[in-house]
Amino acid sequence: MIHYTFYQKNPASHYIYIDMLVNDVDSEILQLELPAWRPGRYELGNFAKNIKRVDAFGENGEVLEYTKLSKDLWEIKTRGNKHVKITYSYYAAELNAGACYADVLQMYVNPVHCCMFVVGRTSENHRVELKIPEDYRIICSLPLNGSVLEAVDFDELADSPFVATAQVKSEVYRVEGIDFHLHFIGECRPDFEKIKKDFNAFTKHQINFWGDFPYDVYHFIFQVTPYRFYHGVEHKKNTVIAIGPGYAINSGDTYEDILGVSCHELFHTWNVKTIRPAEMLPYDFSKENYARTGYVYEGFTTYYGDKLLLGSGVFNLQQYFKTLEERLVKHFHNFGRFNLSVAASSWETWLDGYVPGAPYRKTNIYDEGSLVALMLDVFILRSTGNQKSLREVCVLLYERFGKKNLGYTEKDVISLVNEVSGADSSGIFTKYVYGTNDFEEGLSEAFVYLGWEMEKKPSSVYSEDVFGFKSSEVSSQVKVSLVAPYSPAWKAGLFAGDDILAVNNLVVKNNLNHWLSYFESEGNVTLLINSGDRIRQVELTSDTKKRGYFFNPVLKVKAGMQLNADASFRAWLRY
């Protein structure tokens, strides 16, 4: 058994102290490794950078020597000791859904960040003991005995975040005999009656979708921030969701965000926590776990996280269209879609998947994958006369792979789509998963089948519509964020990162687009910019024959269409 003790010395310092006891040591060398990444974020996290001082001791307190073999691998000379104690501290100052955070109000831990494991002994029981104030509650999906958490192995421990705090508001709702816990940590006043009603609806709809729930309990753990925030991370029996601001959680966009991310993360309980690609079964915490199927484990989940809110009645069609329009904007405003496929982008999340990176380089497996899922869903509906859908593919992945603890491959996904549809789906995969073809044709066909129309509404922002560049304005500073290829801005030499100082010698003060419109009518626009700390002028000339470099997709029901009476839409909405 491996035993960890967690405690704080000076909570305001954000340091968590960890004593790790390894019993029954039977070798001269003991190797300890810290995970290099965490499931749910497919990039190297290099968590060892947060560790301050490591010490190792024998049974009688004697100091044991160790050597660091890599950035997160330590090798200790045991000198015949049967019990070895390792002490270290971890800097926990990042409050989001997947990190660790400790202060005077809480100790929030994702063990995958800070729990070393003994190489070769990850299958043993792992125990965590918490030394915390008496008024603290412990929130976790692991079995709790007093202040001790029990995990059957390191994988379960790594997948079980916990929070110890006195500032938590909790409720529970029950679906199909399973308790679903809601925990809100931070300053907020959750409307539990409203929340439980909506959560009950989409939870029941998801269980009906899959046929059962794979675990005996589930916890929604909300880290509520005083500022606007949105982030969620999935686990088998729980999810941590960082959301804010706390004063707005019961209504408007923030409440819709809570519903959206919660439905998404719950769907992950099946898709990626139970049904996993072969490349991630088991997880190898020491290095990258490359896979091209991000469009399945993140894309399908994003698609159904939105769609099942509509199907369960939690969202209306207008709310669903709003979320889908957001996915479409991210697609059509991302010119990286012409350079790196969705499958290739999945592989390369390990390189730069969660930062903007080089302009025009990559796509987003969440949003692009969700659009692929929509096209596959409609393809199967059309091919089977509305008798089957993408749901059947998901359920077969669950039955044939997830329940049998087998990993699926890229070929398995294509094969299942073909099996369920009874048709050849290679065209969709070739064009939209492995190719860099624009999605518009495939999406338009799907929309027509469902009785929808997509209008390309010109951007109301003058720089985007006429000159082809996006910018952000903060404290009178205007910074270019994106330039459409071959637009007037592109041709003039304006690029991301440039600061716009003036238009026709008039200093810009939160009025860039007003001046662009004013001077463009005369055909004379000169920008003074700071580009790489060098001041230069850029002459912008609009193309009288082309505009709309950035447009906003607007979805609506086709004129004269009664969706409730349309067989295709009703079949699609079913799941």
Side-chain angles (χ1 to χ4, degrees):
M1 183 192 69
I2 313 299
H3 187 101
Y4 308 85
T5 302
F6 279 71
Y7 56 98
Q8 294 171 275
K9 293 181 179 179
N10 177 8
S13 72
H14 298 299
Y15 270 104
I16 297 171
Y17 291 82
I18 303 169
D19 295 344
M20 179 181 181
L21 182 62
V22 182
N23 296 307
D24 302 319
V25 178
D26 60 1
S27 62
E28 292 299 313
I29 296 297
L30 187 69
Q31 288 191 340
L32 303 177
E33 190 161 8
L34 192 71
W37 66 286
R38 65 162 178 79
R41 193 170 184 92
Y42 305 102
E43 67 175 3
L44 293 179
N46 297 321
F47 307 133
K49 64 181 179 289
N50 293 319
I51 287 183
K52 180 190 73 174
R53 182 164 180 165
V54 176
D55 293 295
F57 304 94
E59 298 166 15
N60 298 315
E62 69 273 28
V63 175
L64 300 180
E65 297 179 357
Y66 68 82
T67 302
K68 199 170 184 184
L69 302 181
S70 70
K71 66 182 185 301
D72 43 30
L73 179 63
W74 293 259
E75 185 173 85
I76 299 170
K77 295 180 180 179
T78 63
R79 290 166 41 185
N81 282 277
K82 299 299 182 184
H83 308 285
V84 175
K85 180 180 180 181
I86 303 94
T87 67
Y88 58 98
S89 53
Y90 189 88
Y91 186 59
E94 187 177 7
L95 183 58
N96 61 40
C100 298
Y101 185 81
D103 63 7
V104 296
L105 297 176
Q106 67 170 308
M107 184 194 297
Y108 160 45
V109 174
N110 271 277
V112 72
H113 274 246
C114 58
C115 285
M116 296 181 183
F117 61 87
V118 180
V119 176
R121 294 180 60 176
T122 55
S123 61
E124 298 180 22
N125 290 348
H126 286 62
R127 177 180 295 171
V128 173
E129 180 180 357
L130 303 180
K131 293 184 177 180
I132 53 178
E134 290 184 0
D135 63 339
Y136 272 27
R137 281 181 56 201
I138 298 173
I139 307 300
C140 188
S141 60
L142 289 174
L144 179 64
N145 182 10
S147 60
V148 177
L149 299 165
E150 305 272 357
V152 297
D153 55 22
F154 182 79
D155 277 358
E156 184 179 37
L157 175 62
D159 196 48
S160 302
F162 59 84
V163 184
T165 182
Q167 288 197 334
V168 58
K169 301 176 179 70
S170 301
E171 282 280 359
V172 62
Y173 65 97
R174 193 170 180 84
V175 177
E176 301 294 336
I178 298 157
D179 286 336
F180 291 83
H181 297 265
L182 300 163
H183 308 284
F184 287 81
I185 299 156
E187 184 55 53
C188 62
R189 298 170 185 168
D191 182 346
F192 279 115
E193 183 177 350
K194 175 181 179 180
I195 293 168
K196 288 197 292 184
K197 177 178 178 292
D198 288 336
F199 273 61
N200 189 293
F202 74 67
T203 300
K204 186 175 181 179
H205 199 50
Q206 288 208 26
I207 293 175
N208 289 339
F209 177 101
W210 292 101
D212 62 29
F213 194 74
Y215 305 107
D216 58 353
V217 70
Y218 194 85
H219 293 258
F220 291 94
I221 304 171
F222 295 94
Q223 286 282 3
V224 182
T225 62
Y227 44 85
R228 182 158 182 78
F229 202 74
Y230 179 97
H231 185 217
V233 175
E234 68 274 10
H235 305 280
K236 285 184 176 179
K237 296 185 178 184
N238 58 81
T239 176
V240 179
I241 294 168
I243 201 79
Y247 57 77
I249 65 168
N250 294 318
S251 61
D253 290 344
T254 303
Y255 185 63
E256 288 188 5
D257 285 346
I258 288 175
L259 294 173
V261 69
S262 299
C263 193
H264 175 107
E265 301 304 340
L266 183 61
F267 197 85
H268 267 314
T269 305
W270 295 270
N271 189 24
V272 90
K273 298 313 303 181
T274 305
I275 308 164
R276 301 222 309 251
E279 296 88 344
M280 297 182 193
L281 193 65
Y283 291 130
D284 185 342
F285 290 114
S286 69
K287 62 182 181 180
E288 300 91 337
N289 290 202
Y290 293 106
R292 299 186 195 276
T293 47
Y295 72 94
V296 176
Y297 51 80
E298 290 296 352
F300 284 17
T301 302
T302 300
Y303 174 63
Y304 280 113
D306 298 335
K307 183 184 176 184
L308 293 178
L309 286 174
L310 174 63
S312 63
V314 175
F315 272 10
N316 57 37
L317 188 60
Q318 183 180 4
Q319 289 172 301
Y320 176 74
F321 277 172
K322 176 185 172 184
T323 61
L324 182 51
E325 286 165 359
E326 291 172 358
R327 313 287 177 210
L328 293 168
V329 165
K330 292 178 182 178
H331 169 75
F332 287 114
H333 291 197
N334 180 5
F335 301 101
R337 69 186 191 274
F338 298 117
N339 298 312
L340 203 64
S341 70
V342 179
S345 294
S346 173
W347 187 271
E348 302 230 353
T349 58
W350 294 94
L351 181 61
D352 67 345
Y354 296 88
V355 295
Y360 322 116
R361 197 184 88 83
K362 63 187 177 186
T363 56
N364 183 297
I365 60 174
Y366 296 78
D367 299 302
E368 307 288 315
S370 71
L371 299 179
V372 168
L374 172 60
M375 289 187 281
L376 288 172
D377 202 7
V378 172
F379 170 80
I380 297 171
L381 285 166
R382 181 190 291 115
S383 300
T384 62
N386 294 328
Q387 296 304 302
K388 296 181 180 179
S389 67
L390 187 61
R391 178 216 181 182
E392 277 72 23
V393 173
C394 294
V395 171
L396 286 175
L397 283 169
Y398 181 41
E399 295 290 338
R400 296 181 185 178
F401 297 92
K403 288 185 175 181
K404 297 179 180 179
N405 200 32
L406 299 172
Y408 67 85
T409 67
E410 299 174 74
K411 291 182 179 179
D412 290 326
V413 177
I414 299 171
S415 177
L416 287 176
V417 172
N418 290 344
E419 177 184 334
V420 170
S421 67
D424 180 10
S425 64
S426 61
I428 293 178
F429 284 94
T430 299
K431 287 182 179 179
Y432 305 124
V433 175
Y434 298 102
T436 55
N437 297 73
D438 188 76
F439 282 19
E440 186 167 358
E441 180 182 354
L443 289 172
S444 295
E445 291 177 359
F447 295 155
V448 168
Y449 192 77
L450 296 174
W452 307 343
E453 293 179 327
M454 184 184 77
E455 176 189 352
K456 293 183 178 180
K457 187 175 181 180
S459 173
S460 60
V461 180
Y462 206 80
S463 64
E464 297 177 7
D465 183 48
V466 176
F467 295 112
F469 72 92
K470 287 174 169 280
S471 64
S472 59
E473 297 189 28
V474 180
S475 300
S476 298
Q477 184 179 16
V478 181
K479 185 176 289 292
V480 177
S481 56
L482 181 63
V483 179
Y486 313 112
S487 65
W490 170 287
K491 294 174 182 177
L494 192 68
F495 288 103
D498 291 346
D499 293 318
I500 300 176
L501 308 177
V503 180
N504 286 21
N505 296 321
L506 294 172
V507 174
V508 173
K509 292 184 177 179
N510 295 318
N511 54 9
L512 169 67
N513 285 285
H514 293 291
W515 285 124
L516 289 177
S517 174
Y518 179 83
F519 286 115
E520 194 269 336
S521 64
E522 299 176 359
N524 175 27
V525 178
T526 301
L527 302 183
L528 185 67
I529 68 170
N530 175 355
S531 182
D533 291 330
R534 298 188 67 177
I535 304 298
R536 63 187 180 90
Q537 288 188 337
V538 170
E539 302 288 338
L540 287 180
T541 303
S542 62
D543 186 340
T544 57
K545 296 182 180 180
K546 183 178 180 182
R547 292 195 174 188
Y549 296 95
F550 293 99
F551 65 88
N552 295 317
V554 177
L555 293 171
K556 57 185 179 181
V557 177
K558 189 176 180 181
M561 178 71 69
Q562 296 294 323
L563 289 183
N564 291 335
D566 182 75
S568 297
F569 177 78
R570 287 189 288 109
W572 172 82
L573 184 60
R574 193 163 53 235
Y575 281 112

